[in-house]
Amino acid sequence: SSMAVRKSTDNAHYFAGVNADFFQTSGRVGEPLSNCIVEGEIFRLVNNGRVHFSSGKDWVDIFKTKFSAKISNGTVSKKVSGINKALGTNDLALFTSRYASKTVTAEGVAEVTIKPVEGVVKCGTTKFVVTSAPVTTGGSAIPAGECVLAGSSSNVDFVSGLKEGDELTLTLNITSDGKDINDIVGQVGGLPEILHEGEILGTEASPSLLDPLHPRTAIGYNADRTKLVMLVVDGRGVSAGVSSPDLAAIMLNTGCSYAMNLDGGGSSSLYIEALGTRNKPSDGKERAVANGVFAVANCP
């Protein structure tokens, strides 16, 4: 509910929504596990093979996505392994000020601050200007509105060779089944897809996730994509809860042909602007979560 209140303006009312992606419960607690794109700005990008609910200016879809990205200083291009994701061996990653006040990197990782020319990191092409000298001390501060480019192992020399004032170009492409989908406005992850072309699915996750009765959250739409359904089922003592196949059956009964499972348990929450939280979260109160999906009225 606090997301809706914070994001709403006189001409954009976040009037209904549900919680979205699963998130880290250890390490960087609260970090979404999958992709997160908000109003065209990339908050997080990873290739983890999970299904995503995505929307554009005039479309919605549920699919698995892959991204490819490279950053160039005009003479050398390097593969980017992710945006706002943990840095692994031989990785080159981008951390935006949406991530934290500083990176979580070890000494020996080369880092440099870079500023997007047009303000945010997005699909397609984003140009940057280097705004600091490279350092290898780890844990670099991420200035508001800027980013940190971090390189480990084989990418240390590339980052260390940059200097203040250099211009960089990030080229980023998102695909699904080989088709470019770079007009994504919003995207959140979940697991699994539970309804496809009107058929209940039950093979994309482990039985330990699919079978037990739990509070659950789902999002889906009908065959011609004119009706969106956001749904929460309570559980864990509040009510019996549902299995994933039962959740799919409920979504099918609402008229959906496509649906996916979002984070459940104590995270499950349904919000309406006029009435507040409508379900009874199993924690006894709303849980702070990584992100949500909202319907927005763009009018006074």
Side-chain angles (χ1 to χ4, degrees), residues 10 41 49 61 68 81 85 110 126 129 150 166 170 179 194-195 207 210 224 234 238 258 260 264 270 274 295:
D10 288 343
E41 179 182 354
D61 215 327
S68 59
S81 58
K85 66 173 285 292
T126 305
V129 175
D166 281 354
L170 174 70
K179 179 183 177 182
I194 58 175
L195 195 61
L210 295 173
D224 63 7
D234 283 329
V238 177
Y258 301 87
M260 64 180 283
L270 173 67

Side-chain angles (χ1 to χ4, degrees), residues 5-82:
V5 173
R6 174 172 53 85
K7 293 287 291 183
S8 289
T9 67
D10 288 343
N11 293 299
H13 294 271
Y14 284 62
F15 69 89
V18 290
N19 64 292
D21 198 5
F22 297 82
F23 57 89
Q24 287 279 11
T25 56
S26 61
R28 282 187 51 78
V29 174
E31 184 175 290
L33 297 184
S34 303
N35 295 351
C36 183
I37 300 175
V38 182
E39 296 172 356
E41 179 182 354
I42 296 173
F43 277 52
R44 178 173 168 84
L45 213 55
V46 295
N47 281 324
N48 66 359
R50 291 195 171 194
V51 68
H52 290 81
F53 174 78
S54 305
S55 61
K57 290 183 178 180
D58 56 4
W59 60 268
V60 296
D61 215 327
I62 291 172
F63 44 47
K64 293 182 179 180
T65 62
K66 290 184 178 180
F67 85 92
S68 59
K70 62 180 181 179
I71 197 162
S72 169
N73 64 358
T75 57
V76 178
S77 291
K78 288 284 188 176
K79 178 182 177 182
V80 174
S81 58

Side-chain angles (χ1 to χ4, degrees), residues 201-226:
L201 306 179
T203 58
E204 289 194 332
S206 65
S208 62
L209 176 66
L210 295 173
D211 295 343
L213 304 182
H214 287 303
R216 293 185 185 267
T217 302
I219 190 166
Y221 47 86
N222 62 350
D224 63 7
R225 301 166 196 255
T226 58

Side-chain angles (χ1 to χ4, degrees), residues 250-299:
I250 294 170
M251 293 297 282
L252 182 63
N253 195 53
T254 68
C256 288
S257 293
Y258 301 87
M260 64 180 283
N261 183 75
L262 297 169
D263 190 16
S267 297
S268 286
S269 186
L270 173 67
Y271 167 85
I272 298 173
E273 181 184 33
L275 300 170
T277 302
R278 300 308 299 147
N279 68 308
K280 295 181 180 180
S282 63
D283 285 357
K285 61 181 180 179
E286 263 193 282
R287 175 187 290 178
V289 295
N291 49 24
V293 178
F294 292 91
V296 182
N298 293 309
C299 61

